[in-house]
Amino acid sequence: MVKEASANARKTHYTEILNKYGMLLILILLFSALSLKIDGFASLRNIFSILEQVSMFGIIAIGVTFAIVTGGIDLSSGAVVALASVVGASIVTGTEGYGMTIFAFGAAMFVGSLCGLINGSITAYGRIPPFIATLGMMTIARGVAQLVSNGRPIDASSDAFTSIGDGSIFGVLRSCCYLCSGCNYLPYHDESYEFWPPCLCYWWQCEYRKNLWC
């Protein structure tokens, strides 16, 4: 019995390790395999290029995390980002200076926040499952983005606007700095498994969980 209990404890311990660090181990193995297979894959230049490309998805994932930890899901994140980007780029196209850049940045943030507020309100107070609510928002945001852009690429060539994401801070890519800063607002839990994110989203999570399936 003692040996069986000890074996079960070890199995549980290994399972917990895999659950926590399984994706990290897969990432390390994948990176090692590609480094051995492709010349220059592990170079500093290529690493920075990969980080720059995936940082946007990481920033989006931070927002989606708040929905997932409360038992929901957000299918509209990509479409909302596209809509906010189109709105911001449309405002700043053909302009220079930081005045219009700040206005365009604020407009994009407003559009994204408005879409998130609609999703959360429909889910928490309309008692509609988040899968359905965000699926509808995804379709709407994608369609509005097509209407705003007329289905064509928008050339946001303003140096002031592109400087938000380009360049580096003390040798670190700005997009990566934004990602690391956003990670500080990720929710975490204590031993009672109550989520305590260090931001105002805590209230919204409580309302979300209280009203979601009641």
Side-chain angles (χ1 to χ4, degrees):
M1 294 294 294
V2 175
K3 291 183 178 179
E4 183 177 353
S6 177
N8 290 335
R10 286 197 299 269
K11 183 178 179 180
T12 303
H13 178 67
Y14 293 145
T15 302
E16 291 179 354
I17 292 177
L18 287 176
N19 289 336
K20 289 182 178 180
Y21 306 109
M23 294 304 299
L24 179 60
L25 292 175
I26 293 174
L27 179 62
I28 293 174
L29 291 174
L30 182 62
F31 183 83
S32 301
L34 291 175
S35 299
L36 294 174
K37 186 69 175 179
I38 303 175
D39 293 336
F41 184 83
S43 64
L44 195 61
R45 179 180 179 181
N46 188 58
I47 292 175
F48 279 167
S49 177
I50 294 174
L51 289 175
E52 186 176 14
Q53 294 175 29
V54 303
S55 58
M56 180 187 71
F57 301 106
I59 294 172
I60 297 173
I62 292 173
V64 176
T65 299
F66 286 102
I68 294 176
V69 297
T70 52
I73 191 64
D74 187 358
L75 303 178
S76 65
S77 55
V80 170
V81 169
L83 174 59
S85 301
V86 165
V87 170
S90 299
I91 294 173
V92 81
T93 298
T95 64
E96 290 293 341
Y98 286 95
M100 290 301 296
T101 295
I102 295 174
F103 178 71
F105 184 77
M109 293 290 290
F110 174 78
V111 169
S113 300
L114 180 62
C115 292
L117 179 61
I118 294 173
N119 279 336
S121 299
I122 291 175
T123 301
Y125 299 108
R127 311 289 175 83
I128 297 177
F131 183 91
I132 303 300
T134 58
L135 181 62
M137 178 57 71
M138 179 186 71
T139 305
I140 294 172
R142 184 180 296 172
V144 174
Q146 290 286 341
L147 289 174
V148 173
S149 64
N150 291 322
R152 299 177 181 178
I154 299 177
D155 181 18
S157 57
S158 171
D159 293 336
F161 187 72
T162 56
S163 65
I164 297 175
D166 292 341
S168 61
I169 301 175
F170 300 111
V172 181
L173 294 172
R174 288 188 179 182
S175 54
C176 295
C177 292
Y178 300 150
L179 174 59
C180 294
S181 299
C183 288
N184 292 325
Y185 292 90
L186 283 173
Y188 62 93
H189 60 80
D190 55 20
E191 294 180 355
S192 63
Y193 297 97
E194 291 295 329
F195 292 96
W196 300 92
C199 63
L200 295 177
C201 288
Y202 171 65
W203 175 85
W204 182 254
Q205 287 188 12
C206 290
E207 291 295 316
Y208 183 100
R209 287 185 290 174
K210 183 173 66 176
N211 295 298
L212 181 56
W213 303 115
C214 296

